[in-house]
Each structure stands twice: as structure tokens, then as C-alpha cells.
Amino acid sequence: MNYVSIAIIAVVLFSFIVGLVKGFSKVFTKGICRLIAIVGAVAVAWLVATQISAVKALIDQTLVPMAGGWFKSGVLGVQVNSVEELQQLFSSQIVLSALSGSAAALWAQISALSTHTLGALLGKYIVIALVYIVLWLVAYLIIKYILFGVKYLLTEIAKVPVFNTIDKIVGAVVTTLIGGVISVGLVVIVIYATSGAPLLNIPTVCDYCKVGLQQLLGLAF
């Protein structure tokens, strides 16, 4: 075993001891509840906005067209009918000239709108952002207070001697898993970040992390 493997085992062992001593009800703090709620609310907001047909229709057919009329002054209200016209529009404006390289990608989104203007596209972005913020906030509050309730029940149950032992065993298992995932994940991230591999190529990142994890487990065992 090398120093990296020893460090991972040390973190896992420390996590196991902490979970065994404190128990799951105490490890499952309000801070962890909030963190889970933040991440969970992101997933819920995306699912509601993209997978529920009624919400998706409301966004695409009502809110986005309505937002298209918010920005009509100046360059935002200029009608464009092709990617070439959009590039010319960007080139004619000093502030927008930096977007010339993104003209093709932006035109693909503008062409999907009934009104071919930058104002309509800006309105679309703002509406979608507002919808996601509202959905995330509602989901976050619901998930957070549900988890707070679960934490309270676990704390009360853990006061019973029989359940207290179970609570400590569950706490040890959970913290060990979390410690192992975090320590191995950090090592793989550091190795990947220092390898010079492309950071924005998601398939490459996944493949590299998979190989790196296999090599790391081979060194440890």
C-alpha cells in the first residue's frame, strides 16, 4: 500500500469511529439536512420543469411567448432571419461583438421562437431562470422540513436503549460509506485535475475517473 491508500483507510476508519460513537441521529445534523435539501431541490426542480408535461407546456406555450414582448427596444428588437444576419448584428455592436462566435448556437434557440429577436431569447432565459428558482425554493423548503422532522423522530427513537444500539451501528455504516466516497472522490479528482485531460469533456472525465478508481482500489488492496 502507498501513502494515498493509507490516507484513505485512515479517513474511513475515522469516519467509522465517529459514526459509532455519535450514532446516526447525531451525525444526521441540520446542516446535512440542508445540504441534502439543496441538492435534492435542484433535481426536483429539473424533473418538474422538464418531465411534467403541464409545467413544460406552461413554460413553452405561455410564459416564454409572453416574455418575448418584454425587451423590444434597440438591438434587442431587431428581427433576424438567419445565422448570418445574427452575426452581422453582433459585429455591428461593440458590446455584442464578443458573441459572434456563439451566433450559430444562439440562432438555433432563436429560430425555435416565434419572434426572431434577441429580446425574445433574453426573455426566454429570464423566464426559465425564474421558474427554476421558484421550483427550487419550494422544493428546498419542503424537503428541508421533512428531513428536520425525520431527524427529530430519529433523535427521540435513539433515546430508547434498544434503538440506541441500532442507531450507533447505522451511524457507523453510513459515516464509513460517506468517508470512503469523499476520500476516494477527492483523490480521483486531484489525479484527474493534474493529468492535463480535458475538464469539459464529460465522457472523458467519466472514463478517466473509472480507470483511476480501479487503479486506486488495486493499489489499496
Side-chain angles (χ1 to χ4, degrees), residues 94-106:
I94 298 177
V95 177
L96 299 177
S97 59
L99 297 175
S100 296
S102 305
L106 292 174

Side-chain angles (χ1 to χ4, degrees), residues 5 7 29 63 82 96 133 139 144 154-155 157 190 193 205 207 209 217:
S5 303
T29 63
L63 298 180
S82 66
L96 299 177
I133 289 172
K144 183 181 75 170
L154 289 175
T155 302
I157 292 173
V190 170
V205 172
D207 291 341
C209 290
L217 292 175

Side-chain angles (χ1 to χ4, degrees), residues 150-169:
V150 171
K151 173 180 167 49
Y152 174 78
L153 290 175
L154 289 175
T155 302
E156 294 300 313
I157 292 173
K159 294 178 181 178
V160 180
V162 175
F163 290 109
N164 182 260
T165 302
I166 297 175
D167 179 65
K168 291 185 180 298
I169 294 174

